[in-house]
Each structure stands twice: as structure tokens, then as C-alpha cells.
Amino acid sequence: MNTLRNKVQLIGNLGNNPEIINLESGKTLAKFNIATNDSYTNNKGEKITDTQWHNVVAWGKTAQIVEKYLTKGKEVAIEGKLTSRSYDDKQGNKRYITEVVCSELLML
């Protein structure tokens, strides 16, 4: 059970083409988002689909695979850990972001 402390698994579709950043250190960073869908029936008998968007980042070899093979609309399964961070935008407002740091990727 100790290995399950911060683990996220998602299956979804890419919302956009990945953004690839090659850093001066030689590392590669891929940023993309995926949509997951959940369906349920409300009390009126109507089928409702709830779409959630997830920010994902991948580093190194995983980022290179993302760059080479993934495009908007592709279905993927990812596994990683959930992280949160904050930053100040151009207007000086504090912004918060939660993202999945992808450690494993499976193209479906």
C-alpha cells in the first residue's frame, strides 16, 4: 500500500497538439491536456456526460514519445503523480495549477 500514496491513472483524449519545450539543459518537456468523460442518468432519465480536463506534463523520453506520436484527438492512458504549484501572472495575480506528471504512457 505504501506505493499508492500519490498515483493517478487516466484514460482520455488529447484536447490539443502537445506543446514541446526543449530546455537549455537539454531536457525535453511536453505539455498537453486530456479530456475524460463520465456518463450518468439524472433523475429525469436523461443521459448526462460530464467532461473533465486534466493538465499533463511529461519529461525526457516520455516527452519525446509524446512529441513523435501524439496529436489532438488521440486516445491515451497515462499514469503519474498529481502535483500543484502556483505562479504570478503578468498582471501580478497569483494563479494555481494542478497537473499530472506523467511517468508512463500508453497509446490506445
Side-chain angles (χ1 to χ4, degrees), residues 17-22 28-32 63-64 66-68:
N17 288 329
E19 176 186 354
I20 306 300
I21 302 169
N22 293 302
T28 303
L29 169 65
K31 293 182 177 183
F32 58 99
Q64 292 169 357
V66 168
E67 179 180 23
K68 191 170 183 179

Side-chain angles (χ1 to χ4, degrees), residues 13 22-23 52 56 64-65 80-81 88 99-100 108:
N13 296 85
N22 293 302
L23 302 173
Q52 296 290 317
V56 182
Q64 292 169 357
I65 291 168
K81 65 180 181 177
D88 294 324
E99 56 197 6
V100 177
L108 303 174

